[in-house]
Amino acid sequence: MGTQSVTEQGDDPAETILARIRARGGAATIYDIAELAEVNPSTVSRALGKPGRISAATAARVHAAAERLDFRINPMARALQTGKTRMLGLVLADITNPFVFGIVRGAELEAAAAGYTLVIAESQESGENEAEAIERLLPSVDGLVLATTRLGAGAIGRLAARKPVVLINRAVEGVQSVLPDVEAGVEALMSHLAGLGHRSVAYLAGPDSSWMSARRWSSILAAAEQRDIAIVEIGPGVPTIEGGREALRRVNAARVSAVIAYNDLMALGLMQEAAARGVVVPDQLSVAGFDDIFGTELITPPLTTVHADLITAGRRAVQELLEPGTAVQIEQSDDLLPTRLIVRGSTGTA
Amino acid sequence: MGTQSVTEQGDDPAETILARIRARGGAATIYDIAELAEVNPSTVSRALGKPGRISAATAARVHAAAERLDFRINPMARALQTGKTRMLGLVLADITNPFVFGIVRGAELEAAAAGYTLVIAESQESGENEAEAIERLLPSVDGLVLATTRLGAGAIGRLAARKPVVLINRAVEGVQSVLPDVEAGVEALMSHLAGLGHRSVAYLAGPDSSWMSARRWSSILAAAEQRDIAIVEIGPGVPTIEGGREALRRVNAARVSAVIAYNDLMALGLMQEAAARGVVVPDQLSVAGFDDIFGTELITPPLTTVHADLITAGRRAVQELLEPGTAVQIEQSDDLLPTRLIVRGSTGTA
DNA sequence: TTGTAGGCGTTATCAC
DNA sequence: GTGATAACGCCTACAA
């Protein structure tokens, strides 16, 4: 009878279950699937979770039922049991700095590919905000990428003891990090400048709390010594366009023929202010930066800069979080991210 | 005795519990607190969760114990029970487009202020990727902000039926959205151009799937008609610098004295290509864009554009998600985000 | 290969 | 005002 009356309502067990799911206003669970596939919930969990651990026939039934009920696993329930949230945190000092775009994209790409979700927090360049943001998302993530962190080495170390941490553009003893090959980039830049006849150069430093600014400075200092070029450090300064603009006066006062800014944003600001004050770049002053961000090709003359592959940096950081051993420990100089000099119009003969 | 021997070890109950927590390699739970404060776990939950519902003395003991054990609530456990994850999703077409910076910052700011965590996904301008990304993070979030979505109205509607959704720069019947006041911006821009004597203008369109591109075009068309200015639409084009560069030839062929690009990125590309081909902006061609992104002041001449307050857009979208009623329904023309014309050097007399 | 049972950390619903 | 107890949805020994 039942098989004959095709018009009969409510006979489809799947429909019955779906109705119940809708009624409780939620999503399908493994219990619903178990009921429809006529197996135990634990069997469903296994069929969905591990490949070969279940008979092909049962697995097929389970998958069909899951499909039918439009099942999505509840990440919270899974996380509660396993302790793994499949989420990764990315902490940035300043989201509006074009420098971070590449990092975000690379990290998101790699995270998504591995089935992880990326959560983002911004510290607005404040160490306090950063600590707060980290505390806030620490319980929800399996690991953390700190790009341009303003935290001290101690705080970073303690953090790394709690959860996997990977640093970008920062090295701390015992903590994984993704670093560009600063040496190589600086070498290329300095010989470029030397080749143009510059004998007196200034380095426009970033914030005091920036590890990378110090790193670049020490590298530049060494390269200058080696070439017998006069070098001065100016700063510290805010790592923004505004920071660059404000520094022009001191750069001029230093009477150098070329200036290397901590980052492209500062270099850009420097050039804008130079243009505003009638200082011709590169005729009267050569300017170079770091990172090769968006905008370096827009300005006139376009900016000479040391390119860093930020997308790869983001990818690597996430890879390292997911399977430790891929990235690089402090000062293990191979495996640094390649860096290359992009010569554009902002540098010229002295 | 016990009270006398101050040197006695392991007598501090807090220490004992802390040791046990460390031993199991996890974090403190409300059970640990309950034990230390000598109350029931449910009391701990209440003391921590709701304000007045507990006696002051008990609450104090609980808080002290929580502090002592460095307790952080487990968001997964809470979410499992409440169904609320306190996470919000932000889906973007292209993270590297400076257009999104403001949105991300605004959204993150507002989310953090409300104790929410922001998770980010990028679709790389592909509707398929976008759908996939949304499926991936839907179970983990309480709501979704879609900025520059490439999804169809149907898909968006179905999505909004499952979870709270707020759109930025896109309107769909029955779905909340945050929209700029396109009319006002276009009016200002067109009268600016008319005042400069332009009688023939081109609109360089964005992608076909971009709602906002169509919106801007219809607004421009109306404003041009009203002023008896000749207007042509060129496109569709890719909404990037490259897309702008590629369009120059068609813009020239149209013999217009001014071009309005769908967004600043395309305007920037147009100008770069113009410079490369010896077309002088604004003498031979006036160029204007939309959004006022990073970089518009860098290029020479700086770009005239219709500024949109993207940070506020991001904030509003999140506010609306958190407490519906704040933002604006389709075509409810008040409550649009104010927009204003920024006149710079890329527009001049015809 | 599959079922049973217990637990992950929290909140909610009852009692008292 | 506080305590006991049962979910929330999933995973995982252990047993069968």
Side-chain angles (χ1 to χ4, degrees):
Chain A
M1 260 207 203
T3 58
Q4 300 266 23
S5 56
V6 288
T7 57
E8 194 173 345
Q9 300 275 329
D11 218 11
D12 182 357
E15 275 310 329
T16 314
I17 294 173
L18 275 170
R20 195 186 53 206
I21 292 169
R22 275 190 291 270
R24 73 167 182 253
T29 73
I30 57 170
Y31 289 90
D32 301 315
I33 299 178
E35 190 177 336
L36 183 53
E38 298 178 305
V39 295
N40 189 282
S42 64
T43 303
V44 175
S45 174
R46 282 187 286 250
L48 264 27
K50 355 252 182 185
R53 276 244 174 288
I54 231 83
S55 90
T58 313
R61 282 220 314 291
V62 168
H63 280 107
E67 183 103 340
R68 183 80 175 81
L69 300 181
D70 193 31
F71 172 79
R72 338 251 145 193
I73 199 162
N74 180 327
M76 307 304 146
R78 186 214 282 268
L80 182 56
Q81 168 64 22
T82 61
K84 260 78 196 71
T85 62
R86 300 192 137 266
M87 295 200 273
L88 265 22
L90 175 58
V91 182
L92 304 163
D94 175 9
I95 298 185
T96 65
N97 184 338
F99 164 75
V100 307
F101 304 167
I103 293 180
V104 176
R105 166 169 282 184
E108 211 276 337
L109 232 49
E110 198 67 25
Y116 277 69
T117 295
L118 193 67
V119 336
I120 290 214
E122 187 190 18
S123 69
Q124 313 255 31
E125 299 278 0
S126 133
E128 249 178 89
N129 282 350
E130 184 170 354
E132 204 173 296
I134 289 176
E135 279 312 320
R136 205 162 42 73
L137 81 211
L138 202 57
S140 327
V141 300
D142 292 343
L144 226 39
V145 176
L146 304 187
T148 64
T149 178
R150 296 288 174 255
L151 257 34
I156 294 174
R158 284 190 297 278
L159 189 60
R162 296 212 268 160
K163 285 262 169 104
V165 168
V166 175
L167 270 17
I168 294 181
N169 273 13
R170 167 77 175 255
V172 168
E173 185 75 40
V175 181
Q176 296 290 339
S177 50
V178 176
L179 296 171
D181 191 351
V182 177
E183 298 283 325
V186 165
E187 271 301 312
L189 176 56
M190 288 302 279
S191 52
H192 168 65
L193 291 177
L196 290 170
H198 293 279
R199 313 301 308 155
S200 176
V201 174
Y203 173 65
L204 177 52
D208 261 339
S209 55
S210 165
W211 181 89
M212 185 49 86
S213 182
R215 184 79 188 69
R216 285 172 180 164
W217 163 242
S218 73
S219 212
I220 288 168
L221 179 58
E225 283 171 350
Q226 190 184 314
R227 286 174 179 76
D228 202 31
I229 288 177
I231 183 85
V232 294
E233 186 185 18
I234 294 176
V238 189
T240 61
I241 292 213
E242 207 35 51
R245 300 192 79 130
E246 283 164 5
L248 181 71
R249 198 172 154 206
R250 292 189 59 188
V251 170
N252 277 339
R255 307 275 165 170
V256 294
S257 62
V259 55
I260 303 174
Y262 158 61
N263 69 7
D264 286 344
L265 237 31
M266 295 185 89
L268 256 19
L270 214 42
M271 287 178 65
Q272 283 193 319
E273 189 67 14
R277 302 222 172 275
V279 177
V280 181
V281 173
D283 300 0
Q284 295 169 259
L285 180 69
S286 283
V287 178
F290 282 95
D291 299 333
D292 193 23
I293 65 172
F294 174 85
T296 50
E297 294 183 276
L298 255 28
I299 201 164
T300 307
L303 182 66
T304 293
T305 186
V306 177
H307 174 92
D309 187 350
L310 272 359
I311 294 190
T312 302
R315 299 192 80 120
R316 274 230 199 139
V318 167
Q319 281 166 7
E320 180 58 27
L321 231 34
L322 264 24
E323 37 181 309
T326 315
V328 75
Q329 206 76 350
I330 179 170
E331 297 306 291
Q332 220 172 286
S333 62
D334 40 43
D335 249 45
L336 294 178
L337 283 179
T339 235
R340 70 175 193 281
L341 179 68
I342 312 276
V343 177
R344 298 204 185 95
S346 68
T347 45
T349 53
Chain B
M1 263 206 199
T3 57
Q4 301 265 24
S5 54
V6 287
T7 56
E8 195 172 343
Q9 300 276 331
D11 216 13
D12 182 358
E15 275 310 328
T16 314
I17 295 174
L18 275 170
R20 194 185 56 206
I21 293 170
R22 276 191 291 268
R24 72 166 182 254
T29 73
I30 57 170
Y31 288 90
D32 300 315
I33 299 177
E35 190 178 336
L36 184 54
E38 299 179 304
V39 293
N40 191 280
S42 62
T43 302
V44 175
S45 175
R46 280 188 288 250
L48 264 28
K50 356 254 184 185
R53 275 257 183 272
I54 230 85
S55 89
T58 313
R61 283 220 313 290
V62 168
H63 281 106
E67 184 102 339
R68 183 79 174 82
L69 301 181
D70 194 29
F71 171 80
R72 337 253 146 192
I73 199 160
N74 180 326
M76 306 303 148
R78 185 215 285 266
L80 182 57
Q81 168 65 19
T82 62
K84 262 77 195 71
T85 62
R86 300 193 139 265
M87 295 200 273
L88 265 21
L90 175 58
V91 182
L92 304 163
D94 175 9
I95 299 186
T96 65
N97 184 337
F99 165 75
V100 306
F101 305 167
I103 293 179
V104 176
R105 165 169 283 184
E108 211 275 339
L109 232 49
E110 198 67 25
Y116 277 69
T117 295
L118 193 67
V119 336
I120 290 212
E122 187 190 20
S123 68
Q124 313 254 31
E125 299 278 358
S126 133
E128 248 178 273
N129 282 351
E130 185 171 352
E132 203 174 297
I134 289 176
E135 281 312 322
R136 205 161 43 75
L137 81 211
L138 203 57
S140 324
V141 300
D142 292 342
L144 226 40
V145 176
L146 305 187
T148 65
T149 178
R150 297 288 175 254
L151 257 34
I156 293 174
R158 284 191 296 279
L159 189 60
R162 295 212 269 158
K163 285 262 168 100
V165 169
V166 175
L167 270 18
I168 294 182
N169 272 12
R170 168 77 173 256
V172 168
E173 186 75 41
V175 181
Q176 296 290 339
S177 51
V178 176
L179 296 171
D181 190 351
V182 177
E183 299 284 326
V186 165
E187 272 302 311
L189 176 55
M190 288 303 278
S191 51
H192 167 65
L193 291 177
L196 291 171
H198 294 278
R199 312 300 309 154
S200 177
V201 174
Y203 173 63
L204 178 53
D208 260 339
S209 55
S210 165
W211 181 90
M212 185 49 86
S213 181
R215 185 77 189 69
R216 284 173 181 164
W217 163 240
S218 72
S219 214
I220 288 167
L221 179 57
E225 283 171 348
Q226 190 185 313
R227 286 175 178 75
D228 203 31
I229 288 178
I231 183 85
V232 294
E233 185 185 20
I234 293 176
V238 189
T240 60
I241 292 213
E242 206 37 50
R245 300 193 79 130
E246 282 164 6
L248 182 71
R249 194 170 156 210
R250 293 189 59 190
V251 169
N252 277 340
R255 307 276 166 169
V256 294
S257 62
V259 55
I260 303 174
Y262 158 61
N263 68 9
D264 287 342
L265 238 31
M266 295 185 87
L268 257 18
L270 214 43
M271 286 178 66
Q272 283 194 317
E273 189 68 13
R277 301 226 172 274
V279 177
V280 180
V281 174
D283 300 1
Q284 293 170 263
L285 180 71
S286 283
V287 178
F290 282 96
D291 298 334
D292 193 23
I293 65 173
F294 174 86
T296 50
E297 293 183 277
L298 254 28
I299 201 163
T300 308
L303 181 68
T304 292
T305 185
V306 177
H307 173 91
D309 187 349
L310 273 359
I311 294 190
T312 301
R315 300 191 79 120
R316 273 231 200 139
V318 167
Q319 282 166 7
E320 181 59 26
L321 232 34
L322 263 25
E323 37 182 308
T326 315
V328 76
Q329 206 74 351
I330 178 171
E331 298 305 292
Q332 223 171 282
S333 61
D334 40 42
D335 249 44
L336 294 177
L337 282 180
T339 234
R340 72 175 191 280
L341 179 67
I342 311 276
V343 177
R344 297 204 185 95
S346 67
T347 45
T349 53

